[in-house]
């Protein structure tokens, strides 16, 4: 199947795109977006935004989210990210708080994480689409198989990446990562329900940068 995605990702994932499972997934996603009875997020043109902004060969850090924000105007195709002018969601508020505590970086005034993506941070949701006001509504249509394949491709074809897995869902998605070739950091989800159980104080952002520097790569400006 011909998928409009960054060329490096297209090469790495072409066996996935050619598979019967992905064809079924694409048909289901198309039907969801075409259904006039409800809205689906993000905009269809942004489904693969995370890949386009963080090309396969330039990806250095992977952050795994759950599914896109399900409120109007929130989801922009990047995990945890919202467009400028959109109120910053609570989980992202907590992420920025930990970044500031960990690295000393100022807390941003907007929640658009394209600045991270353009530095090689793949902001990957486990599901790349969702029905309005219905979290996890697309969890069972086949996205997990796709995102697991994305993570496997990075694990097998790249070296020295950092995977930040927050919460049990993200940790499960990372089960196949080769820990001998990559750094995998886990913590509770940054949601207000769980951030105080170990996300705050995890210092993942400075640890990621220390690892990148030790492998001859530029650190991320968080």
């Amino acid at each position: 199947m011909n998928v409009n995605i960054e060329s490096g990702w297209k090469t790495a994932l072409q066996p996935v795109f050619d598979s019967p499972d992905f064809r079924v997934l694409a048909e289901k996603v198309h039907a969801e977006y075409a259904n006039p009875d409800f809205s689906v997020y993000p905009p269809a043109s942004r489904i693969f935004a995370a890949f386009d902004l963080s090309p396969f060969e330039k990806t250095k850090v992977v952050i795994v989210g759950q599914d896109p924000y399900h409120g109007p105007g929130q989801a922009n195709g990047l995990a945890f990210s919202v467009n400028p002018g959109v109120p910053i969601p609570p989980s992202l508020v907590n992420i920025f708080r930990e970044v500031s505590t960990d690295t000393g970086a100022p807390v941003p005034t907007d929640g658009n994480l394209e600045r991270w993506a353009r530095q090689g941070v793949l902001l990957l949701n486990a599901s790349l689409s969702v029905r309005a006001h219905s979290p996890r509504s697309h969890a069972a249509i086949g996205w997990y198989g796709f995102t697991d394949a994305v993570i496997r491709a990075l694990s097998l074809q790249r070296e020295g990446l950092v995977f930040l897995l927050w919460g049990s869902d993200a940790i499960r998605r990372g089960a196949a990562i080769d820990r001998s070739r990559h750094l995998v950091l886990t913590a509770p989800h940054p949601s207000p329900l769980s951030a105080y159980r170990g996300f705050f104080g995890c210092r993942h952002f400075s640890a990621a940068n220390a690892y990148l520097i030790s492998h001859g790569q530029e650190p991320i400006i968080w």
Side-chain angles (χ1 to χ4, degrees):
M1 177 177 289
N2 184 31
V3 176
N4 186 17
I5 195 171
E6 187 270 331
S7 60
W9 283 108
K10 189 168 187 177
T11 299
L13 298 175
Q14 194 60 58
V16 179
F17 296 142
D18 289 339
S19 69
D21 285 347
F22 187 82
R23 188 171 299 277
V24 171
L25 169 62
E27 290 172 354
K28 290 179 179 178
V29 171
H30 184 269
E32 287 284 293
Y33 275 92
N35 194 318
D37 294 334
F38 48 77
S39 296
V40 178
Y41 304 125
S45 63
R46 299 284 297 181
I47 287 177
F48 294 116
F51 301 89
D52 294 332
L53 289 168
S54 182
F56 184 77
E57 294 297 337
K58 294 185 178 179
T59 292
K60 299 188 289 188
V61 178
V62 182
I63 297 177
V64 180
Q66 183 172 297
D67 51 13
Y69 296 120
H70 52 82
Q74 289 184 298
N76 64 8
L78 309 178
F80 295 106
S81 176
V82 292
N83 288 324
V86 176
I88 301 176
S91 291
L92 186 52
V93 169
N94 289 339
I95 290 169
F96 286 158
R97 174 178 168 182
E98 176 61 20
V99 168
S100 183
T101 301
D102 184 15
T103 70
V107 175
T109 57
D110 71 70
N112 185 4
L113 298 182
E114 285 192 11
R115 58 188 177 276
W116 291 3
R118 294 184 188 282
Q119 297 177 75
V121 180
L122 178 67
L123 296 159
L124 176 66
N125 275 317
S127 295
L128 300 191
S129 58
V130 68
R131 285 187 187 183
H133 311 300
S134 186
R136 295 179 182 265
S137 52
H138 284 184
I141 69 172
W143 278 127
Y144 284 0
F146 173 73
T147 51
D148 285 351
V150 169
I151 292 170
R152 279 197 305 273
L154 287 167
S155 177
L156 291 171
Q157 299 178 42
R158 296 289 313 283
E159 295 274 356
L161 304 184
V162 181
F163 292 83
L164 305 184
L165 308 179
W166 303 327
S168 57
D169 285 348
I171 291 168
R172 280 193 290 271
R173 299 275 71 78
I177 299 168
D178 185 346
R179 267 70 170 174
S180 70
R181 298 172 63 175
H182 307 284
L183 176 65
V184 179
L185 301 174
T186 64
H189 195 275
S191 157
L193 297 175
S194 55
Y196 286 95
R197 300 174 189 164
F199 178 78
F200 289 138
C202 69
R203 301 186 66 85
H204 280 184
F205 303 97
S206 60
N209 277 350
Y211 182 84
L212 292 174
I213 291 169
S214 74
H215 285 71
Q217 298 199 69
E218 289 293 319
I220 304 299
I221 301 172
W222 299 108

